[in-house]
Amino acid sequence: MPTNSAAWLSAPYADLTVGDAPYTAASAGELVIRNRAVAVNPLDDVKQSTGDLMYSWLPHPAILGEDVAGEVVDVGPGVTGFAVGDRVIAYAVGMEKNRNHAAEGGFQLFTVVRADLASPIPDDLAFESAVVLPLAVSTAASALFQADQLGLRHPTTHPRGDAPRDWVVVWGGSTSVGSNAIQLAVAAGYSVLTTASPQNHDRMRELGAQHVVDYRSPSAVREIVSLLQGHRLAGVFAIGTGSAEPSVAIAAALGCKRVVLASPSVSMSILPRRPRAWLSLARFGALMAYRMGLLQLRGLRHGIRARFVWGSSLMNNEVGPMLWSEFLPRALAEGSYTPTPRAEIVGSGLASIQPALDALRRGASATKYVVTL
Ligand SMILES: NC(=O)c1ccc[n+]([C@@H]2O[C@H](COP(=O)([O-])OP(=O)(O)OC[C@H]3O[C@@H](n4cnc5c(N)ncnc54)[C@H](OP(=O)(O)O)[C@@H]3O)[C@@H](O)[C@H]2O)c1
């Protein structure tokens, strides 16, 4: 039995601490991965910083982490298409409801993952480059392709280039989720307009966006509406705090009825990282209720359905297999899909995961903080 260890969140608000962890073998439909790289996400920060406000079902001590890359060391009964020794990336869903929470957390040496949320990666793709993908690409795919979200056509590795294209607006293209949404929408045959800070505009175009607008510009909504006037807009995907309001305004101006939201209108980073911050919590709750209420009212006036997406929802519908078993393995093997955003390695070893989370809390621009193991 391999010896396992993990970066544990021993109690709400605590720093992660490295300690022994049980090793769990693969059950039916599962793989065990010896992780060689993990990445941190805002979700991990939110869970660590806000106690049980989110993921209240996750017991402490907990193992956070969604993005893993490494070698398969165990293949569960009924799994086809994977063998011991394969190099893979996977979306670890240990933080979700009704999962084997600790065994399926990403921040440990050995993680149990669902085989249907794993993809082989080519030999020339480094673990630390590929590990930026799992949560971000899953969230982007859930938002773009689920029938109850934007419901777009599915991506292919050889999109047709001749037909007149509908447009998709990705507000927040330089986020991890957004840079994957751009690539997926282009692969599905849509033209993409996105927003980012000017230093990231070239990168957005490299990923396939046709127009890029600075989201901080006071005229951003007007610019976007004027660029897309007369074109068919299939949907708007709003990513980043403050993205919901301009996204609904764009949809309203262009007669588009579908807007998907990845982020709440108020950032959870305004909450202090400590228990019983009642005043801040009350302020946060009131602000959130006010902004979301106003947003839904505006949407309703224009017949717009603005819905939140949940990154792991694809594991319960046809988008999961489409992305993880068909599109990603083929696109990564062909080199037609770029792992994005770029990885910045914060350190090596489980003890470097807390510094990676601290770096994320200070901010990231078109970058994913990664730890090698
Ligand atoms: N609902 C879900 O299941 C789910 C899953 C994953 C993530 N999320 C949420 O999605 C958001 C992005 O997550 P991520 O991991 O992709 O983030 P990330 O990669 O850490 O995002 C960093 C980027 O955010 C951009 N940004 C900051 N404020 C923005 C705004 N107001 N509008 C547009 N872009 C903005 C910055 O762009 P510039 O540097 O170009 O300025 C920066 O490049 C977060 O709010 C996260 O909580 C939700």
Side-chain angles (χ1 to χ4, degrees):
M1 188 80 84
T3 306
N4 192 17
S5 45
W8 290 96
L9 179 68
S10 56
Y13 312 101
D15 273 352
L16 303 185
T17 46
V18 178
D20 293 346
Y23 174 87
T24 308
S27 298
E30 295 176 341
L31 307 169
V32 178
I33 299 178
R34 168 54 170 97
N35 296 324
R36 298 295 174 187
V38 296
V40 296
N41 283 289
L43 275 186
D44 304 311
D45 172 36
V46 162
K47 180 59 194 163
Q48 181 174 48
S49 299
T50 64
D52 284 336
L53 195 62
M54 274 187 81
Y55 297 95
S56 54
W57 54 82
L58 193 63
H60 294 88
I63 302 177
L64 311 181
E66 302 79 26
D67 294 340
V68 300
E71 294 120 5
V72 174
V73 294
D74 188 16
V75 178
V79 173
T80 55
F82 291 96
V84 169
D86 283 356
R87 303 173 76 251
V88 297
I89 51 170
Y91 177 11
V93 289
M95 285 172 72
E96 300 302 320
K97 269 187 186 156
N98 305 319
R99 305 300 309 173
N100 186 349
H101 297 302
E104 295 183 87
F107 296 160
Q108 57 189 325
L109 297 184
F110 294 92
T111 296
V112 174
V113 299
R114 289 172 50 136
D116 61 0
L117 295 176
S119 166
I121 58 170
D123 289 345
D124 60 355
L125 180 56
F127 291 127
E128 52 269 33
S129 304
V131 77
V132 302
L133 285 176
L135 175 64
V137 74
S138 297
T139 307
S142 300
L144 298 182
F145 305 120
Q146 279 179 197
D148 61 344
Q149 302 289 356
L150 293 189
L152 304 183
R153 285 188 306 274
H154 288 183
T156 71
T157 49
H158 299 287
R160 286 182 53 203
D162 49 351
R165 289 164 160 242
D166 290 352
W167 284 79
V168 173
V169 170
V170 176
W171 185 286
S174 55
T175 62
S176 308
V177 175
S179 55
N180 282 283
I182 294 170
Q183 288 194 84
L184 288 173
V186 169
Y190 294 86
S191 296
V192 174
L193 183 153
T194 196
T195 72
S197 290
Q199 79 268 15
N200 293 321
H201 283 198
D202 288 346
R203 180 67 180 146
M204 300 297 97
R205 291 198 182 92
E206 282 163 19
L207 294 176
Q210 288 195 22
H211 297 300
V212 194
V213 170
D214 181 359
Y215 64 87
R216 288 198 180 86
S217 160
S219 60
V221 171
R222 255 182 295 128
E223 280 176 59
I224 293 170
V225 170
S226 112
L227 283 164
L228 296 190
Q229 203 83 61
H231 295 280
R232 276 229 313 257
L233 180 58
V236 184
F237 185 19
I239 313 154
T241 303
S243 61
E245 290 80 3
S247 295
V248 166
I250 291 163
L254 294 168
C256 167
K257 304 295 177 208
R258 288 194 176 202
V259 177
V260 174
L261 314 174
S263 314
S265 285
V266 185
S267 171
M268 288 190 166
S269 64
I270 68 167
L271 293 168
R273 190 178 145 187
R274 61 179 164 78
R276 292 181 285 283
W278 305 124
L279 207 62
S280 304
L281 271 171
R283 218 182 65 216
F284 173 78
L287 249 173
M288 181 82 109
Y290 172 70
R291 294 225 179 124
M292 289 315 295
L294 213 61
L295 185 81
Q296 293 301 344
L297 272 179
R298 265 193 207 135
L300 275 179
R301 248 197 8 240
H302 296 277
I304 294 169
R305 200 184 58 169
R307 287 201 172 169
F308 275 104
V309 65
W310 194 247
S312 65
S313 51
L314 84 176
M315 70 177 164
N316 302 316
N317 56 55
E318 75 293 348
V319 176
M322 178 281 291
L323 179 75
W324 281 99
S325 305
E326 292 165 32
F327 178 76
L328 264 186
R330 207 173 311 143
L332 290 173
E334 284 178 2
S336 60
Y337 197 89
T338 309
T340 177
R342 80 185 169 86
E344 181 173 324
I345 299 174
V346 176
S348 185
L350 293 166
S352 295
I353 297 176
Q354 184 60 54
L357 278 171
D358 296 339
L360 183 60
R361 198 164 295 135
R362 289 191 294 274
S365 179
T367 300
K368 191 93 176 160
Y369 294 121
V370 167
V371 170
T372 55
L373 297 175

